Amino acid sequence: VGFYVTGVDDISKAMWRSWTYVADPGTHADAEGTLERTVAFWTTIGGMLVFALMIGIISDSIGEKVDELKKGKSRVIESNHTLMLGWND
């Protein structure tokens, strides 16, 4: 939306440019003008924060699942198996 306000692009091109700045911060090297560079800078910073937040949430949820599995209290959904105790003694 910031690039649309600068008047450089129409709304679809502005959305695409914003996404490229969020996904790949190096794409703002061709930005010209103080306002456009400022919008590119803040879009890039916001994108890095969003991606860091997503990675943190995903990492935390995976860590919680691994901790649950380590406790050994997860439900086993298997049936019709034979359990052989002391087989290797």
Side-chain angles (χ1 to χ4, degrees):
V1 177
F3 290 109
Y4 181 70
V5 173
T6 62
V8 176
D9 294 326
D10 62 356
I11 191 71
S12 64
K13 288 182 182 177
M15 295 287 284
W16 177 250
R17 285 183 72 187
S18 295
W19 169 248
T20 59
Y21 289 162
V22 167
D24 181 17
T27 59
H28 66 277
D30 62 344
E32 295 179 4
T34 305
L35 181 61
E36 188 176 349
R37 287 182 180 173
T38 303
V39 170
F41 173 77
W42 287 111
T43 302
T44 301
I45 295 297
M48 287 191 284
L49 291 175
V50 166
F51 278 121
L53 179 66
M54 285 176 24
I55 289 172
I57 290 171
I58 292 168
S59 174
D60 192 42
S61 65
I62 291 172
E64 287 176 3
K65 193 64 170 174
V66 167
D67 288 341
E68 287 177 16
L69 291 172
K70 282 182 183 178
K71 290 179 183 177
K73 296 182 180 180
S74 58
R75 186 172 179 206
V76 178
I77 310 173
E78 297 291 336
S79 60
N80 298 327
H81 285 81
T82 303
L83 180 62
M84 298 176 69
L85 300 174
W87 178 75
N88 61 351
D89 286 340

